Amino acid sequence: MLYGGGGGGRGAGVVDREGYNDDGGVYIQPEIHHRRLHCAPVMDTIMETPTEPRPDASDTGNNASDNHNNTSSGEDNTSIENTHHSPHLSPITAPSLIGTESDNVLLDSAVQTTGESVELPVQAPVNSDASLPAPRKRRRRKKQFPEMISSVDAVNGLRVVRNKSTDDVNGYEDENENLISRRRRRVSSDLDVETLIAISVGFPVDSLTEEEIEANVVKTIGGSDQSNYIIVRNHILALWRSNVDVWLTREHALESIRVEHTHLVDSAYSFLLEHGYINFGLSVAVKEAKLKPPEGCSRGDVVVIGAGLSGLVAARQLIFLGFKVVILEGRARPGGRVRTKKMTGGDCVAAADLGGSVLTGINGNPLGVLARQLGFPLHKVRDICPLYLPNGNTVNPEIDSKVEVLFNKLLDRVCKLRQSMMEEAKSIDVPLGTALEAFRHVYRVAEDPQEKMLLDWHLANLEYANATLMSNLSMVFWDQDDPFEMGGDHCFIPGGNDRFIRALAENLCIFYNQTVQSVKYGSDGVLVRANGKDYRASMALCTVPLGVLKKQSIEFIPDLPQRKKDAIERLGFGLLNKVAILFPYDFWGGEIDTFGHLSDKSDMRGEFFLFYSYSSVSGGPLLVALVAGEAAIGFEQMSPVESVNKVMEILRGIFNPKGIAVPEPLQAICTRWGQDQFSYGSYSYVGIGASGNDYDILAESIGNGRVFFAGEATNKLYPATMHGAFLSGLREAANMLRMDNRRRSKSVSNDENKLVLIPENLTS
């Protein structure tokens, strides 16, 4: 999840976008929250009667708060038993070869190990009455560059056109005018809230999305029909978001809409349902409906490559739409870069999110909907983040504030330079790091040693947000997704995000330890080869990370179009690593969720620069240290014992002078996402010469609609986030439905829809 942000980086706050990771490779993607404009248009209503005011646009309901009960996953479910006994697609050759996940921990022989974790001896707890100094509250400024934000005028300018004659208006009695005025204000208020909810989900204020245009939701673009459709769509969306536990029916949606707009209800309801904007998720009512394909609708077969978030979500939606689906997963578990590991030591147990961990921006976030449906509490990541110097002393608050302001001014200068460059020479791009360093020298910023360390910390936070070095980022487009980030708090899920994964994987046909070697596609369908077996289908959905595509681990026959290969080359796929350490008790204090550590070496500024406290959500005293930028690359070559010892030195340097004894860890895990053969990194970023358009190119289907692509690196609006991966799966399910409908309309032969039965010994 997984990315947060508020400050000088891609997002708001210290929690920038976190990504997802595997057993051995923990990959955190800093998540970015893009706050929407909170200006609601004044509209005439097409409602039959005024409705009661709708709930707030936030999806957190009563679940989000600063104080939650400590809960943990309790069990280490590294793989999920497949309970589906009638797979739809058949391997044509020999039985599968059982593979294993890459061991990303690189353990020292001197250390006892269990799987991917480093086991360290149990130490007796040491009590201390000392406490942390009063932490400084820091709200990282989210840098939204002016040229990339929609105008407020566009928001305020939306009006709904009603086919209503002046006679209707003049016919009202004078004594009813005040009543009518009050009713209209009340309805207008409801519509304003509904508009805000639609904005939080990603719909534009006064226009249709490209998806809606392709779906022909209205006969004519522009005019009264489109304006009224937008209001109907927003109303249906808000209606379901007010109670995500139920299955919203078309009849319920019609109840408060005027009869003459029934055709708009039909259009909007079908669009929202098929594209997964309503009636998605894991409530009892939704699950029951989703796993029952529509009667009398037998569609083609689909092979989904990868059981990460996008693959699992797409599979569930495709089954609901009438397709027969099987998932091929190279790992021995679902989740991909979302990985929660149970850590134990003595009487302590904790759930560590080694990959995606933070829900960045809960407003409109589909993972927030899942949390509500499953009854998971949400823990708001508090914005208090004290910083410590290399000698353990707390950073001077005045110097801290000064450098933060200067850092943001440097970004503003880069913004102005970018604007002029784009106006005069659109093809020019330079590294973001080069531009920032040039302005730093010109304006003589951070020449004092402590100020330079503070500036380096902000740069490390920026590198965390993008999972790469500043020298790799496009100055022009590195933050192209900022205007779309989801608003609201950044949150943790107590017990870890694997709770989502287990629920999403339930009752799906998943074959584990199936490493895909090739995807062959043609006019009659696709042939996916995994571990020497062939799986035939009418379509395939590839959800592997961008790192796997860059490595060309999967052969596409015919080869990928040059356009897509170029986009894969231009986009970056970065690296972020973690060290998760379980202690016998919480010695750092429970009143904060993050604290930072400065380095006096610029090239190592990202080494353990930020610590997450998971005590309030993991079930035990757990700290996670982040490694970003250049340090994340060198980290993968270090011994895990050396890495843990470095973390311990930092912690002792901070807390021992305050009279707080730092106990020996009970267990530690170091991630190696860059060496994981199923990811080769953490999450995507916009490299030099790339742009947001490359995400769209990566999302394009190939083979005349035979092979589709999903995953965070295919989502231009929400890349490098868990919710971006989630939404991309729903997007591609709708695209595959549209392509299937198109083929049916052309009376394509039914031969491509035939199944090859799977031998009994290969059923799960």
Side-chain angles (χ1 to χ4, degrees):
M1 181 152 103
L2 298 154
Y3 323 118
R10 279 181 100 148
V14 202
V15 183
D16 265 337
R17 356 173 114 169
E18 271 195 340
Y20 2 83
N21 239 352
D22 201 36
D23 300 349
V26 173
Y27 122 95
I28 303 172
Q29 296 180 198
E31 288 200 359
I32 303 170
H33 296 281
H34 304 272
R35 301 191 183 277
R36 302 283 182 175
L37 295 171
H38 285 216
C39 305
V42 178
M43 314 180 201
D44 293 339
T45 180
I46 61 173
M47 307 289 181
E48 182 65 38
T49 57
T51 58
E52 292 303 317
R54 306 230 172 259
D56 186 74
S58 171
D59 283 332
T60 56
N62 295 325
N63 292 331
S65 68
D66 288 337
N67 301 313
H68 294 285
N69 295 329
N70 290 345
T71 60
S72 68
S73 59
E75 297 180 0
D76 183 26
N77 297 322
T78 57
S79 63
I80 291 188
E81 192 86 20
N82 191 345
T83 58
H84 192 103
H85 295 291
S86 55
H88 307 296
L89 299 178
S90 156
I92 300 176
T93 57
S96 64
L97 301 174
I98 302 301
T100 58
E101 287 191 284
S102 60
D103 180 4
N104 297 324
V105 181
L106 305 179
L107 301 168
D108 264 15
S109 58
V111 182
Q112 292 181 337
T113 67
T114 57
E116 71 261 319
S117 62
V118 179
E119 295 286 352
L120 296 173
V122 178
Q123 300 291 325
V126 179
N127 295 323
S128 174
D129 295 329
S131 60
L132 284 171
R136 176 175 179 269
K137 198 169 186 178
R138 58 176 68 247
R139 290 183 178 273
R140 301 291 167 197
R141 182 179 77 84
K142 176 174 176 331
K143 24 123 264 349
Q144 280 188 336
F145 293 139
E147 73 272 17
M148 307 192 76
I149 301 178
S150 303
S151 69
V152 177
D153 292 339
V155 181
N156 291 332
L158 173 63
R159 290 189 60 83
V160 176
V161 181
R162 295 180 56 195
N163 295 323
K164 181 176 177 182
S165 68
T166 54
D167 294 338
D168 293 332
V169 178
N170 295 332
Y172 288 120
E173 298 292 339
D174 291 341
E175 60 267 23
N176 290 332
E177 287 183 358
N178 291 335
L179 173 61
I180 294 168
S181 177
R182 288 196 301 272
R183 291 179 63 188
R184 285 188 172 181
R185 283 197 300 269
R186 184 181 177 188
V187 173
S188 177
S189 176
D190 289 340
L191 291 173
D192 291 350
V193 172
E194 292 176 357
T195 301
L196 292 178
I197 292 175
I199 291 172
S200 74
V201 174
F203 284 103
V205 175
D206 58 353
S207 61
L208 302 178
T209 64
E210 292 182 7
E211 291 176 326
E212 288 175 307
I213 294 173
E214 286 188 35
N216 296 317
V217 293
V218 293
K219 294 180 179 179
T220 305
I221 303 299
S224 61
D225 224 23
Q226 174 178 308
S227 299
N228 288 332
Y229 165 84
I230 290 174
I231 292 183
V232 170
R233 177 202 66 198
N234 295 353
H235 175 67
I236 295 174
L237 183 62
L239 195 61
W240 183 70
R241 285 272 174 151
S242 68
N243 186 359
V244 296
D245 291 329
V246 304
W247 183 270
L248 179 64
T249 64
R250 173 184 172 278
E251 290 68 31
H252 189 189
L254 275 169
E255 289 178 0
S256 54
I257 305 296
R258 295 168 62 105
V259 175
E260 60 263 34
H261 298 296
T262 299
H263 68 291
L264 295 179
V265 174
D266 292 339
S267 179
Y269 181 83
S270 296
F271 173 83
L272 294 173
L273 184 65
E274 292 175 358
H275 287 74
Y277 288 104
I278 61 172
N279 294 339
F280 70 84
L282 297 166
S283 69
V284 174
V286 171
K287 281 199 300 184
E288 289 179 354
K290 285 286 187 178
L291 291 178
K292 293 179 181 178
E295 296 181 4
C297 180
S298 178
R299 295 188 179 274
D301 317 322
V302 176
V303 174
V304 175
I305 303 171
L309 262 175
S310 58
L312 295 175
V313 171
R316 300 186 79 88
Q317 183 73 354
L318 286 166
I319 291 172
F320 165 69
L321 295 174
F323 293 90
K324 302 176 182 66
V325 183
V326 67
I327 303 176
L328 303 180
E329 170 56 51
R331 309 178 193 273
R333 61 163 183 83
R337 288 168 285 168
V338 175
R339 169 64 168 148
T340 304
K341 175 66 178 176
K342 176 184 176 183
M343 299 180 68
T344 59
D347 296 330
C348 296
V349 179
D353 270 322
L354 301 181
S357 58
V358 182
L359 275 64
T360 50
I362 203 63
N363 291 351
N365 195 319
L367 297 177
V369 172
L370 263 59
R372 289 170 61 188
Q373 292 173 329
L374 296 171
F376 295 169
L378 296 176
H379 173 79
K380 174 186 174 182
V381 181
R382 290 163 286 189
D383 57 6
I384 299 174
C385 181
L387 297 182
Y388 297 96
L389 294 167
N391 62 9
N393 292 336
T394 305
V395 170
N396 182 296
E398 293 182 1
I399 299 178
D400 189 359
S401 298
K402 172 186 174 183
V403 173
E404 185 170 349
V405 170
L406 291 174
F407 172 68
N408 287 324
K409 285 185 177 180
L410 287 178
L411 285 175
D412 290 338
R413 293 291 182 182
V414 171
C415 168
K416 293 178 181 178
L417 173 63
R418 173 170 65 185
Q419 260 183 307
S420 61
M421 287 176 57
M422 292 176 69
E423 292 171 359
E424 298 178 9
K426 296 183 179 179
S427 61
I428 296 178
D429 197 2
V430 298
L432 176 63
T434 300
L436 284 174
E437 183 64 12
F439 280 118
R440 187 182 78 82
H441 282 293
V442 169
Y443 293 100
R444 306 177 66 87
V445 171
E447 294 184 322
D448 175 81
Q450 185 174 154
E451 291 182 1
K452 182 61 167 62
M453 285 189 290
L454 272 167
L455 181 64
D456 279 339
W457 187 90
H458 286 283
L459 294 174
N461 193 37
L462 208 57
E463 291 177 326
Y464 158 43
N466 296 276
T468 193
L469 283 66
M470 299 291 295
S471 58
N472 294 334
L473 290 173
S474 163
M475 187 196 74
V476 178
F477 293 112
W478 69 278
D479 58 347
Q480 60 85 32
D481 57 319
D482 270 13
F484 313 105
E485 85 178 42
M486 292 185 173
D489 298 324
H490 301 318
C491 297
F492 288 134
I493 293 293
N497 292 311
D498 192 51
R499 301 175 73 187
F500 287 141
I501 299 301
R502 293 198 302 267
L504 287 169
E506 185 180 352
N507 296 323
L508 293 180
C509 180
I510 307 174
F511 289 100
Y512 296 105
N513 300 308
Q514 297 296 304
T515 303
V516 172
Q517 286 92 34
S518 65
V519 177
K520 186 176 182 179
Y521 57 96
S523 59
D524 58 344
V526 297
L527 185 69
V528 180
R529 173 162 286 246
N531 288 13
K533 299 180 297 296
D534 291 332
Y535 295 79
R536 297 184 185 275
S538 59
M539 291 181 284
L541 174 61
C542 181
T543 71
V544 300
L546 175 58
V548 174
L549 295 177
K550 282 181 170 289
K551 285 284 186 178
Q552 300 181 20
S553 302
I554 298 176
E555 181 184 12
F556 290 88
I557 310 170
D559 199 3
L560 293 175
Q562 190 61 44
R563 168 184 171 85
K564 189 177 288 285
K565 290 165 67 175
D566 291 343
I568 291 172
E569 177 67 23
R570 285 190 297 264
L571 280 177
F573 196 68
L575 185 61
L576 184 72
N577 276 310
K578 295 181 180 180
V579 177
I581 304 180
L582 180 66
F583 289 96
Y585 57 89
D586 178 347
F587 61 87
W588 55 90
E591 70 276 12
I592 59 174
D593 292 318
T594 58
F595 61 90
H597 177 259
L598 276 56
S599 173
D600 53 7
K601 299 177 181 178
S602 291
D603 59 339
M604 297 302 290
R605 62 194 177 203
E607 185 178 50
F608 316 126
F609 81 101
L610 184 63
F611 289 79
Y612 278 114
S613 168
Y614 282 86
S615 295
S616 58
V617 294
S618 68
L622 179 69
L623 271 183
V624 174
L626 304 187
V627 191
E630 188 172 343
I633 300 172
F635 175 82
E636 300 212 344
Q637 308 306 319
M638 291 172 56
S639 155
V641 173
E642 183 182 357
S643 298
V644 174
N645 286 339
K646 281 193 172 185
V647 175
M648 294 302 296
E649 288 177 10
I650 292 173
L651 294 175
R652 292 186 182 112
I654 293 173
F655 295 101
N656 284 358
K658 300 173 177 60
I660 301 174
V662 178
E664 291 296 319
L666 302 177
Q667 187 184 23
I669 299 177
C670 298
T671 67
R672 297 286 187 271
W673 285 109
Q675 298 176 24
D676 186 282
Q677 64 171 319
F678 299 113
S679 63
Y680 293 112
S682 301
Y683 45 96
S684 62
Y685 64 88
V686 182
I688 301 166
S691 72
N693 293 333
D694 290 316
Y695 288 105
D696 288 338
I697 296 173
L698 206 59
E700 293 173 354
S701 63
I702 61 175
N704 193 26
R706 292 297 179 181
V707 182
F708 296 76
F709 294 84
E712 57 86 12
T714 71
N715 195 323
K716 178 181 180 179
L717 303 187
Y718 310 110
T721 64
M722 288 190 295
H723 59 269
F726 187 104
L727 292 170
S728 75
L730 293 174
R731 177 198 69 211
E732 291 311 305
N735 287 337
M736 296 170 90
L737 173 66
R738 187 176 66 253
M739 182 55 65
D740 187 74
N741 288 335
R742 186 177 301 171
R743 289 199 183 96
R744 287 169 178 271
S745 67
K746 294 180 179 179
S747 301
V748 176
S749 171
N750 289 330
D751 289 345
E752 67 181 85
N753 292 326
K754 290 182 179 178
L755 297 176
V756 181
L757 297 179
I758 294 180
E760 291 184 2
N761 64 330
L762 291 180
T763 58
S764 51

